[in-house]
Amino acid sequence: QVRLVESGGGSVQAGGTLTLSCRYDHRRSCMAWFRQAPGREREGAASREVVASIFITHTGDSETTNYADSVKGRFTISHDNGERTVYLQMNNLTPADTGMYYCATSWFCDWAPSQYNFWGPGTQVTVGG
């Protein structure tokens, strides 16, 4: 059974750092972090935007990462096969990074949230100006 649980959210000041974790029981090949802006929760998964994704081979040896332009150079996605965890290190945070962050998994990495079959409950990130 695929189950994802995020942790590590919180409140920081602009310029600060947070590291999110997504622990899984089982996963598909692609793991991704999505962000949902404040006030858009009622729109559901359709309004979530990919910030980073990582494609992991079945052996866990080769990983390909992709980032949204808005987070390139600031966010880093990584995977620990032994810990069954995907991380999102977020540096130099800005108020625009505020939102609910979700971990999701699918067989293929895609920018569309509709392509992801399994989601965690999310973790809130708030960046103060």
PDB file of all heavy atoms in Angstrom, residues 27-65:
ATOM      1  N   ARG A  27       6.391   3.348  -2.911  1.00  0.00           N
ATOM      2  CA  ARG A  27       6.366   4.491  -3.814  1.00  0.00           C
ATOM      3  C   ARG A  27       6.337   4.015  -5.258  1.00  0.00           C
ATOM      4  O   ARG A  27       6.616   2.851  -5.553  1.00  0.00           O
ATOM      5  CB  ARG A  27       7.604   5.377  -3.611  1.00  0.00           C
ATOM      6  CG  ARG A  27       8.902   4.626  -3.867  1.00  0.00           C
ATOM      7  CD  ARG A  27      10.096   5.565  -3.937  1.00  0.00           C
ATOM      8  NE  ARG A  27      11.336   4.809  -4.072  1.00  0.00           N
ATOM      9  CZ  ARG A  27      11.786   4.329  -5.215  1.00  0.00           C
ATOM     10  NH1 ARG A  27      11.103   4.522  -6.339  1.00  0.00           N
ATOM     11  NH2 ARG A  27      12.918   3.668  -5.264  1.00  0.00           N
ATOM     12  N   ARG A  28       6.023   4.945  -6.133  1.00  0.00           N
ATOM     13  CA  ARG A  28       6.195   4.739  -7.562  1.00  0.00           C
ATOM     14  C   ARG A  28       7.535   5.347  -7.959  1.00  0.00           C
ATOM     15  O   ARG A  28       8.284   5.831  -7.110  1.00  0.00           O
ATOM     16  CB  ARG A  28       5.039   5.398  -8.324  1.00  0.00           C
ATOM     17  CG  ARG A  28       3.654   4.856  -7.942  1.00  0.00           C
ATOM     18  CD  ARG A  28       3.510   3.405  -8.337  1.00  0.00           C
ATOM     19  NE  ARG A  28       2.165   2.913  -8.055  1.00  0.00           N
ATOM     20  CZ  ARG A  28       1.883   2.053  -7.090  1.00  0.00           C
ATOM     21  NH1 ARG A  28       2.850   1.617  -6.293  1.00  0.00           N
ATOM     22  NH2 ARG A  28       0.642   1.629  -6.936  1.00  0.00           N
ATOM     23  N   SER A  29       7.868   5.361  -9.225  1.00  0.00           N
ATOM     24  CA  SER A  29       9.197   5.793  -9.656  1.00  0.00           C
ATOM     25  C   SER A  29       9.449   7.273  -9.458  1.00  0.00           C
ATOM     26  O   SER A  29      10.565   7.688  -9.213  1.00  0.00           O
ATOM     27  CB  SER A  29       9.391   5.448 -11.136  1.00  0.00           C
ATOM     28  OG  SER A  29       9.282   4.052 -11.346  1.00  0.00           O
ATOM     29  N   CYS A  30       8.426   8.073  -9.592  1.00  0.00           N
ATOM     30  CA  CYS A  30       8.579   9.512  -9.455  1.00  0.00           C
ATOM     31  C   CYS A  30       7.998   9.982  -8.125  1.00  0.00           C
ATOM     32  O   CYS A  30       6.873   9.641  -7.769  1.00  0.00           O
ATOM     33  CB  CYS A  30       7.885  10.252 -10.599  1.00  0.00           C
ATOM     34  SG  CYS A  30       8.041  12.045 -10.498  1.00  0.00           S
ATOM     35  N   MET A  31       8.780  10.764  -7.425  1.00  0.00           N
ATOM     36  CA  MET A  31       8.318  11.433  -6.209  1.00  0.00           C
ATOM     37  C   MET A  31       8.389  12.937  -6.463  1.00  0.00           C
ATOM     38  O   MET A  31       9.374  13.425  -7.014  1.00  0.00           O
ATOM     39  CB  MET A  31       9.204  11.067  -5.021  1.00  0.00           C
ATOM     40  CG  MET A  31       9.216   9.598  -4.688  1.00  0.00           C
ATOM     41  SD  MET A  31       7.663   9.044  -3.961  1.00  0.00           S
ATOM     42  CE  MET A  31       7.685   9.922  -2.390  1.00  0.00           C
ATOM     43  N   ALA A  32       7.367  13.645  -6.056  1.00  0.00           N
ATOM     44  CA  ALA A  32       7.319  15.076  -6.322  1.00  0.00           C
ATOM     45  C   ALA A  32       6.792  15.836  -5.123  1.00  0.00           C
ATOM     46  O   ALA A  32       6.005  15.309  -4.331  1.00  0.00           O
ATOM     47  CB  ALA A  32       6.445  15.361  -7.542  1.00  0.00           C
ATOM     48  N   TRP A  33       7.246  17.071  -5.018  1.00  0.00           N
ATOM     49  CA  TRP A  33       6.711  18.013  -4.037  1.00  0.00           C
ATOM     50  C   TRP A  33       5.865  19.037  -4.771  1.00  0.00           C
ATOM     51  O   TRP A  33       6.327  19.635  -5.751  1.00  0.00           O
ATOM     52  CB  TRP A  33       7.836  18.718  -3.295  1.00  0.00           C
ATOM     53  CG  TRP A  33       8.490  17.879  -2.263  1.00  0.00           C
ATOM     54  CD1 TRP A  33       9.654  17.174  -2.374  1.00  0.00           C
ATOM     55  CD2 TRP A  33       8.021  17.640  -0.923  1.00  0.00           C
ATOM     56  NE1 TRP A  33       9.934  16.517  -1.195  1.00  0.00           N
ATOM     57  CE2 TRP A  33       8.942  16.797  -0.282  1.00  0.00           C
ATOM     58  CE3 TRP A  33       6.904  18.075  -0.199  1.00  0.00           C
ATOM     59  CZ2 TRP A  33       8.793  16.375   1.032  1.00  0.00           C
ATOM     60  CZ3 TRP A  33       6.751  17.657   1.109  1.00  0.00           C
ATOM     61  CH2 TRP A  33       7.688  16.809   1.713  1.00  0.00           C
ATOM     62  N   PHE A  34       4.658  19.236  -4.283  1.00  0.00           N
ATOM     63  CA  PHE A  34       3.737  20.224  -4.823  1.00  0.00           C
ATOM     64  C   PHE A  34       3.498  21.311  -3.784  1.00  0.00           C
ATOM     65  O   PHE A  34       3.586  21.076  -2.582  1.00  0.00           O
ATOM     66  CB  PHE A  34       2.385  19.575  -5.157  1.00  0.00           C
ATOM     67  CG  PHE A  34       2.381  18.763  -6.418  1.00  0.00           C
ATOM     68  CD1 PHE A  34       2.919  17.483  -6.437  1.00  0.00           C
ATOM     69  CD2 PHE A  34       1.814  19.268  -7.575  1.00  0.00           C
ATOM     70  CE1 PHE A  34       2.901  16.731  -7.592  1.00  0.00           C
ATOM     71  CE2 PHE A  34       1.783  18.513  -8.738  1.00  0.00           C
ATOM     72  CZ  PHE A  34       2.334  17.245  -8.743  1.00  0.00           C
ATOM     73  N   ARG A  35       3.136  22.482  -4.263  1.00  0.00           N
ATOM     74  CA  ARG A  35       2.778  23.597  -3.391  1.00  0.00           C
ATOM     75  C   ARG A  35       1.392  24.101  -3.794  1.00  0.00           C
ATOM     76  O   ARG A  35       1.088  24.262  -4.980  1.00  0.00           O
ATOM     77  CB  ARG A  35       3.800  24.723  -3.510  1.00  0.00           C
ATOM     78  CG  ARG A  35       3.494  25.947  -2.675  1.00  0.00           C
ATOM     79  CD  ARG A  35       4.682  26.890  -2.685  1.00  0.00           C
ATOM     80  NE  ARG A  35       5.007  27.417  -3.990  1.00  0.00           N
ATOM     81  CZ  ARG A  35       6.203  27.875  -4.348  1.00  0.00           C
ATOM     82  NH1 ARG A  35       7.195  27.838  -3.469  1.00  0.00           N
ATOM     83  NH2 ARG A  35       6.433  28.350  -5.543  1.00  0.00           N
ATOM     84  N   GLN A  36       0.592  24.380  -2.764  1.00  0.00           N
ATOM     85  CA  GLN A  36      -0.733  24.953  -2.995  1.00  0.00           C
ATOM     86  C   GLN A  36      -0.803  26.279  -2.272  1.00  0.00           C
ATOM     87  O   GLN A  36      -0.600  26.355  -1.054  1.00  0.00           O
ATOM     88  CB  GLN A  36      -1.822  24.021  -2.488  1.00  0.00           C
ATOM     89  CG  GLN A  36      -3.241  24.444  -2.849  1.00  0.00           C
ATOM     90  CD  GLN A  36      -4.229  23.326  -2.598  1.00  0.00           C
ATOM     91  OE1 GLN A  36      -4.180  22.658  -1.572  1.00  0.00           O
ATOM     92  NE2 GLN A  36      -5.143  23.114  -3.530  1.00  0.00           N
ATOM     93  N   ALA A  37      -1.076  27.318  -3.027  1.00  0.00           N
ATOM     94  CA  ALA A  37      -1.094  28.670  -2.476  1.00  0.00           C
ATOM     95  C   ALA A  37      -2.234  28.837  -1.477  1.00  0.00           C
ATOM     96  O   ALA A  37      -3.272  28.161  -1.581  1.00  0.00           O
ATOM     97  CB  ALA A  37      -1.229  29.681  -3.608  1.00  0.00           C
ATOM     98  N   PRO A  38      -2.067  29.752  -0.520  1.00  0.00           N
ATOM     99  CA  PRO A  38      -3.128  29.998   0.460  1.00  0.00           C
ATOM    100  C   PRO A  38      -4.436  30.422  -0.203  1.00  0.00           C
ATOM    101  O   PRO A  38      -4.435  31.137  -1.202  1.00  0.00           O
ATOM    102  CB  PRO A  38      -2.567  31.153   1.299  1.00  0.00           C
ATOM    103  CG  PRO A  38      -1.095  31.062   1.135  1.00  0.00           C
ATOM    104  CD  PRO A  38      -0.876  30.559  -0.263  1.00  0.00           C
ATOM    105  N   GLY A  39      -5.544  29.942   0.345  1.00  0.00           N
ATOM    106  CA  GLY A  39      -6.855  30.282  -0.179  1.00  0.00           C
ATOM    107  C   GLY A  39      -7.330  29.421  -1.320  1.00  0.00           C
ATOM    108  O   GLY A  39      -8.440  29.629  -1.818  1.00  0.00           O
ATOM    109  N   ARG A  40      -6.542  28.482  -1.762  1.00  0.00           N
ATOM    110  CA  ARG A  40      -6.924  27.661  -2.919  1.00  0.00           C
ATOM    111  C   ARG A  40      -7.205  26.212  -2.517  1.00  0.00           C
ATOM    112  O   ARG A  40      -7.314  25.336  -3.377  1.00  0.00           O
ATOM    113  CB  ARG A  40      -5.830  27.699  -3.979  1.00  0.00           C
ATOM    114  CG  ARG A  40      -5.473  29.112  -4.429  1.00  0.00           C
ATOM    115  CD  ARG A  40      -4.666  29.120  -5.699  1.00  0.00           C
ATOM    116  NE  ARG A  40      -5.466  28.689  -6.836  1.00  0.00           N
ATOM    117  CZ  ARG A  40      -5.001  28.644  -8.090  1.00  0.00           C
ATOM    118  NH1 ARG A  40      -3.754  28.981  -8.320  1.00  0.00           N
ATOM    119  NH2 ARG A  40      -5.774  28.236  -9.070  1.00  0.00           N
ATOM    120  N   GLU A  41      -7.347  25.991  -1.231  1.00  0.00           N
ATOM    121  CA  GLU A  41      -7.536  24.621  -0.772  1.00  0.00           C
ATOM    122  C   GLU A  41      -8.807  24.005  -1.347  1.00  0.00           C
ATOM    123  O   GLU A  41      -8.846  22.806  -1.661  1.00  0.00           O
ATOM    124  CB  GLU A  41      -7.583  24.588   0.763  1.00  0.00           C
ATOM    125  CG  GLU A  41      -6.288  24.991   1.455  1.00  0.00           C
ATOM    126  CD  GLU A  41      -6.106  26.500   1.549  1.00  0.00           C
ATOM    127  OE1 GLU A  41      -7.009  27.242   1.109  1.00  0.00           O
ATOM    128  OE2 GLU A  41      -5.045  26.932   2.059  1.00  0.00           O
ATOM    129  N   ARG A  42      -9.835  24.814  -1.516  1.00  0.00           N
ATOM    130  CA  ARG A  42     -11.113  24.278  -2.016  1.00  0.00           C
ATOM    131  C   ARG A  42     -11.015  23.800  -3.450  1.00  0.00           C
ATOM    132  O   ARG A  42     -11.857  23.042  -3.919  1.00  0.00           O
ATOM    133  CB  ARG A  42     -12.209  25.337  -1.897  1.00  0.00           C
ATOM    134  CG  ARG A  42     -12.640  25.610  -0.466  1.00  0.00           C
ATOM    135  CD  ARG A  42     -13.880  26.469  -0.426  1.00  0.00           C
ATOM    136  NE  ARG A  42     -14.347  26.667   0.947  1.00  0.00           N
ATOM    137  CZ  ARG A  42     -15.477  27.288   1.257  1.00  0.00           C
ATOM    138  NH1 ARG A  42     -16.247  27.781   0.301  1.00  0.00           N
ATOM    139  NH2 ARG A  42     -15.827  27.422   2.520  1.00  0.00           N
ATOM    140  N   GLU A  43      -9.989  24.245  -4.148  1.00  0.00           N
ATOM    141  CA  GLU A  43      -9.836  23.829  -5.543  1.00  0.00           C
ATOM    142  C   GLU A  43      -9.244  22.431  -5.650  1.00  0.00           C
ATOM    143  O   GLU A  43      -9.180  21.861  -6.747  1.00  0.00           O
ATOM    144  CB  GLU A  43      -8.952  24.826  -6.293  1.00  0.00           C
ATOM    145  CG  GLU A  43      -9.527  26.225  -6.325  1.00  0.00           C
ATOM    146  CD  GLU A  43      -8.599  27.209  -7.011  1.00  0.00           C
ATOM    147  OE1 GLU A  43      -7.844  26.787  -7.907  1.00  0.00           O
ATOM    148  OE2 GLU A  43      -8.612  28.392  -6.623  1.00  0.00           O
ATOM    149  N   GLY A  44      -8.783  21.910  -4.517  1.00  0.00           N
ATOM    150  CA  GLY A  44      -8.266  20.555  -4.527  1.00  0.00           C
ATOM    151  C   GLY A  44      -6.925  20.447  -5.220  1.00  0.00           C
ATOM    152  O   GLY A  44      -6.213  21.432  -5.424  1.00  0.00           O
ATOM    153  N   ALA A  45      -6.604  19.241  -5.629  1.00  0.00           N
ATOM    154  CA  ALA A  45      -5.288  18.959  -6.187  1.00  0.00           C
ATOM    155  C   ALA A  45      -5.033  19.709  -7.490  1.00  0.00           C
ATOM    156  O   ALA A  45      -3.876  19.946  -7.859  1.00  0.00           O
ATOM    157  CB  ALA A  45      -5.133  17.453  -6.412  1.00  0.00           C
ATOM    158  N   ALA A  46      -6.079  20.090  -8.194  1.00  0.00           N
ATOM    159  CA  ALA A  46      -5.906  20.745  -9.497  1.00  0.00           C
ATOM    160  C   ALA A  46      -5.142  22.056  -9.400  1.00  0.00           C
ATOM    161  O   ALA A  46      -4.518  22.488 -10.371  1.00  0.00           O
ATOM    162  CB  ALA A  46      -7.267  20.979 -10.143  1.00  0.00           C
ATOM    163  N   SER A  47      -5.183  22.707  -8.233  1.00  0.00           N
ATOM    164  CA  SER A  47      -4.510  23.998  -8.097  1.00  0.00           C
ATOM    165  C   SER A  47      -3.111  23.870  -7.508  1.00  0.00           C
ATOM    166  O   SER A  47      -2.465  24.878  -7.238  1.00  0.00           O
ATOM    167  CB  SER A  47      -5.347  24.924  -7.216  1.00  0.00           C
ATOM    168  OG  SER A  47      -5.387  24.442  -5.895  1.00  0.00           O
ATOM    169  N   ARG A  48      -2.644  22.649  -7.346  1.00  0.00           N
ATOM    170  CA  ARG A  48      -1.300  22.455  -6.793  1.00  0.00           C
ATOM    171  C   ARG A  48      -0.272  22.520  -7.915  1.00  0.00           C
ATOM    172  O   ARG A  48      -0.508  22.048  -9.023  1.00  0.00           O
ATOM    173  CB  ARG A  48      -1.230  21.108  -6.071  1.00  0.00           C
ATOM    174  CG  ARG A  48      -2.185  21.034  -4.892  1.00  0.00           C
ATOM    175  CD  ARG A  48      -2.274  19.640  -4.304  1.00  0.00           C
ATOM    176  NE  ARG A  48      -3.331  19.582  -3.303  1.00  0.00           N
ATOM    177  CZ  ARG A  48      -3.739  18.468  -2.711  1.00  0.00           C
ATOM    178  NH1 ARG A  48      -3.154  17.310  -2.998  1.00  0.00           N
ATOM    179  NH2 ARG A  48      -4.721  18.513  -1.816  1.00  0.00           N
ATOM    180  N   GLU A  49       0.878  23.080  -7.598  1.00  0.00           N
ATOM    181  CA  GLU A  49       1.946  23.249  -8.586  1.00  0.00           C
ATOM    182  C   GLU A  49       3.187  22.476  -8.147  1.00  0.00           C
ATOM    183  O   GLU A  49       3.578  22.549  -6.978  1.00  0.00           O
ATOM    184  CB  GLU A  49       2.296  24.717  -8.756  1.00  0.00           C
ATOM    185  CG  GLU A  49       1.134  25.560  -9.259  1.00  0.00           C
ATOM    186  CD  GLU A  49       1.498  27.030  -9.347  1.00  0.00           C
ATOM    187  OE1 GLU A  49       2.378  27.471  -8.588  1.00  0.00           O
ATOM    188  OE2 GLU A  49       0.900  27.728 -10.183  1.00  0.00           O
ATOM    189  N   VAL A  50       3.787  21.790  -9.101  1.00  0.00           N
ATOM    190  CA  VAL A  50       5.023  21.073  -8.800  1.00  0.00           C
ATOM    191  C   VAL A  50       6.129  22.079  -8.522  1.00  0.00           C
ATOM    192  O   VAL A  50       6.329  23.025  -9.284  1.00  0.00           O
ATOM    193  CB  VAL A  50       5.441  20.179  -9.980  1.00  0.00           C
ATOM    194  CG1 VAL A  50       6.810  19.582  -9.719  1.00  0.00           C
ATOM    195  CG2 VAL A  50       4.428  19.074 -10.206  1.00  0.00           C
ATOM    196  N   VAL A  51       6.865  21.898  -7.434  1.00  0.00           N
ATOM    197  CA  VAL A  51       8.061  22.701  -7.193  1.00  0.00           C
ATOM    198  C   VAL A  51       9.322  21.894  -7.476  1.00  0.00           C
ATOM    199  O   VAL A  51      10.329  22.449  -7.892  1.00  0.00           O
ATOM    200  CB  VAL A  51       8.091  23.277  -5.765  1.00  0.00           C
ATOM    201  CG1 VAL A  51       6.976  24.273  -5.578  1.00  0.00           C
ATOM    202  CG2 VAL A  51       8.020  22.191  -4.712  1.00  0.00           C
ATOM    203  N   ALA A  52       9.255  20.564  -7.269  1.00  0.00           N
ATOM    204  CA  ALA A  52      10.423  19.718  -7.514  1.00  0.00           C
ATOM    205  C   ALA A  52       9.982  18.276  -7.666  1.00  0.00           C
ATOM    206  O   ALA A  52       9.006  17.858  -7.043  1.00  0.00           O
ATOM    207  CB  ALA A  52      11.425  19.830  -6.377  1.00  0.00           C
ATOM    208  N   SER A  53      10.719  17.542  -8.492  1.00  0.00           N
ATOM    209  CA  SER A  53      10.430  16.124  -8.672  1.00  0.00           C
ATOM    210  C   SER A  53      11.739  15.355  -8.813  1.00  0.00           C
ATOM    211  O   SER A  53      12.769  15.919  -9.195  1.00  0.00           O
ATOM    212  CB  SER A  53       9.542  15.875  -9.893  1.00  0.00           C
ATOM    213  OG  SER A  53      10.216  16.213 -11.082  1.00  0.00           O
ATOM    214  N   ILE A  54      11.657  14.067  -8.496  1.00  0.00           N
ATOM    215  CA  ILE A  54      12.817  13.205  -8.599  1.00  0.00           C
ATOM    216  C   ILE A  54      12.372  11.850  -9.132  1.00  0.00           C
ATOM    217  O   ILE A  54      11.415  11.260  -8.629  1.00  0.00           O
ATOM    218  CB  ILE A  54      13.538  13.077  -7.236  1.00  0.00           C
ATOM    219  CG1 ILE A  54      14.827  12.279  -7.368  1.00  0.00           C
ATOM    220  CG2 ILE A  54      12.634  12.486  -6.158  1.00  0.00           C
ATOM    221  CD1 ILE A  54      15.743  12.424  -6.143  1.00  0.00           C
ATOM    222  N   PHE A  55      13.036  11.389 -10.188  1.00  0.00           N
ATOM    223  CA  PHE A  55      12.725  10.096 -10.775  1.00  0.00           C
ATOM    224  C   PHE A  55      13.778   9.102 -10.304  1.00  0.00           C
ATOM    225  O   PHE A  55      14.973   9.325 -10.477  1.00  0.00           O
ATOM    226  CB  PHE A  55      12.724  10.172 -12.299  1.00  0.00           C
ATOM    227  CG  PHE A  55      12.293   8.893 -12.958  1.00  0.00           C
ATOM    228  CD1 PHE A  55      10.948   8.635 -13.169  1.00  0.00           C
ATOM    229  CD2 PHE A  55      13.226   7.945 -13.344  1.00  0.00           C
ATOM    230  CE1 PHE A  55      10.544   7.451 -13.766  1.00  0.00           C
ATOM    231  CE2 PHE A  55      12.824   6.757 -13.941  1.00  0.00           C
ATOM    232  CZ  PHE A  55      11.475   6.512 -14.154  1.00  0.00           C
ATOM    233  N   ILE A  56      13.326   8.023  -9.710  1.00  0.00           N
ATOM    234  CA  ILE A  56      14.216   7.053  -9.084  1.00  0.00           C
ATOM    235  C   ILE A  56      14.059   5.713  -9.792  1.00  0.00           C
ATOM    236  O   ILE A  56      12.939   5.229  -9.964  1.00  0.00           O
ATOM    237  CB  ILE A  56      13.850   6.888  -7.595  1.00  0.00           C
ATOM    238  CG1 ILE A  56      13.819   8.252  -6.908  1.00  0.00           C
ATOM    239  CG2 ILE A  56      14.835   5.957  -6.897  1.00  0.00           C
ATOM    240  CD1 ILE A  56      13.027   8.277  -5.622  1.00  0.00           C
ATOM    241  N   THR A  57      15.172   5.096 -10.216  1.00  0.00           N
ATOM    242  CA  THR A  57      15.082   3.789 -10.853  1.00  0.00           C
ATOM    243  C   THR A  57      14.702   2.733  -9.815  1.00  0.00           C
ATOM    244  O   THR A  57      14.754   2.976  -8.604  1.00  0.00           O
ATOM    245  CB  THR A  57      16.408   3.392 -11.499  1.00  0.00           C
ATOM    246  OG1 THR A  57      17.382   3.224 -10.466  1.00  0.00           O
ATOM    247  CG2 THR A  57      16.884   4.468 -12.468  1.00  0.00           C
ATOM    248  N   HIS A  58      14.363   1.560 -10.283  1.00  0.00           N
ATOM    249  CA  HIS A  58      13.900   0.518  -9.378  1.00  0.00           C
ATOM    250  C   HIS A  58      14.994   0.079  -8.416  1.00  0.00           C
ATOM    251  O   HIS A  58      14.710  -0.445  -7.345  1.00  0.00           O
ATOM    252  CB  HIS A  58      13.368  -0.681 -10.153  1.00  0.00           C
ATOM    253  CG  HIS A  58      14.440  -1.436 -10.898  1.00  0.00           C
ATOM    254  ND1 HIS A  58      14.994  -0.993 -12.078  1.00  0.00           N
ATOM    255  CD2 HIS A  58      15.075  -2.606 -10.607  1.00  0.00           C
ATOM    256  CE1 HIS A  58      15.889  -1.856 -12.501  1.00  0.00           C
ATOM    257  NE2 HIS A  58      15.965  -2.840 -11.628  1.00  0.00           N
ATOM    258  N   THR A  59      16.255   0.299  -8.796  1.00  0.00           N
ATOM    259  CA  THR A  59      17.354  -0.047  -7.895  1.00  0.00           C
ATOM    260  C   THR A  59      17.688   1.095  -6.952  1.00  0.00           C
ATOM    261  O   THR A  59      18.466   0.915  -6.013  1.00  0.00           O
ATOM    262  CB  THR A  59      18.617  -0.412  -8.692  1.00  0.00           C
ATOM    263  OG1 THR A  59      19.018   0.717  -9.463  1.00  0.00           O
ATOM    264  CG2 THR A  59      18.353  -1.598  -9.595  1.00  0.00           C
ATOM    265  N   GLY A  60      17.144   2.275  -7.220  1.00  0.00           N
ATOM    266  CA  GLY A  60      17.436   3.430  -6.390  1.00  0.00           C
ATOM    267  C   GLY A  60      18.773   4.062  -6.674  1.00  0.00           C
ATOM    268  O   GLY A  60      19.238   4.934  -5.945  1.00  0.00           O
ATOM    269  N   ASP A  61      19.434   3.624  -7.774  1.00  0.00           N
ATOM    270  CA  ASP A  61      20.786   4.119  -8.034  1.00  0.00           C
ATOM    271  C   ASP A  61      20.834   5.402  -8.847  1.00  0.00           C
ATOM    272  O   ASP A  61      21.731   6.200  -8.671  1.00  0.00           O
ATOM    273  CB  ASP A  61      21.586   3.048  -8.778  1.00  0.00           C
ATOM    274  CG  ASP A  61      21.831   1.829  -7.926  1.00  0.00           C
ATOM    275  OD1 ASP A  61      21.927   1.992  -6.686  1.00  0.00           O
ATOM    276  OD2 ASP A  61      21.915   0.724  -8.472  1.00  0.00           O
ATOM    277  N   SER A  62      19.925   5.605  -9.736  1.00  0.00           N
ATOM    278  CA  SER A  62      19.976   6.756 -10.632  1.00  0.00           C
ATOM    279  C   SER A  62      18.790   7.650 -10.391  1.00  0.00           C
ATOM    280  O   SER A  62      17.669   7.186 -10.373  1.00  0.00           O
ATOM    281  CB  SER A  62      19.986   6.284 -12.088  1.00  0.00           C
ATOM    282  OG  SER A  62      20.014   7.378 -12.967  1.00  0.00           O
ATOM    283  N   GLU A  63      19.025   8.921 -10.233  1.00  0.00           N
ATOM    284  CA  GLU A  63      17.963   9.837  -9.925  1.00  0.00           C
ATOM    285  C   GLU A  63      18.056  11.070 -10.815  1.00  0.00           C
ATOM    286  O   GLU A  63      19.130  11.628 -10.984  1.00  0.00           O
ATOM    287  CB  GLU A  63      18.048  10.253  -8.451  1.00  0.00           C
ATOM    288  CG  GLU A  63      18.056   9.076  -7.493  1.00  0.00           C
ATOM    289  CD  GLU A  63      18.259   9.503  -6.056  1.00  0.00           C
ATOM    290  OE1 GLU A  63      18.688  10.644  -5.835  1.00  0.00           O
ATOM    291  OE2 GLU A  63      18.008   8.675  -5.159  1.00  0.00           O
ATOM    292  N   THR A  64      16.940  11.457 -11.375  1.00  0.00           N
ATOM    293  CA  THR A  64      16.854  12.656 -12.199  1.00  0.00           C
ATOM    294  C   THR A  64      15.938  13.651 -11.512  1.00  0.00           C
ATOM    295  O   THR A  64      14.824  13.299 -11.131  1.00  0.00           O
ATOM    296  CB  THR A  64      16.308  12.322 -13.595  1.00  0.00           C
ATOM    297  OG1 THR A  64      17.143  11.342 -14.202  1.00  0.00           O
ATOM    298  CG2 THR A  64      16.260  13.569 -14.456  1.00  0.00           C
ATOM    299  N   THR A  65      16.419  14.880 -11.357  1.00  0.00           N
ATOM    300  CA  THR A  65      15.628  15.891 -10.663  1.00  0.00           C
ATOM    301  C   THR A  65      15.197  16.998 -11.605  1.00  0.00           C
ATOM    302  O   THR A  65      15.863  17.287 -12.595  1.00  0.00           O
ATOM    303  CB  THR A  65      16.428  16.511  -9.511  1.00  0.00           C
ATOM    304  OG1 THR A  65      17.625  17.096 -10.031  1.00  0.00           O
ATOM    305  CG2 THR A  65      16.799  15.463  -8.480  1.00  0.00           C
TER     306      THR A  65
END
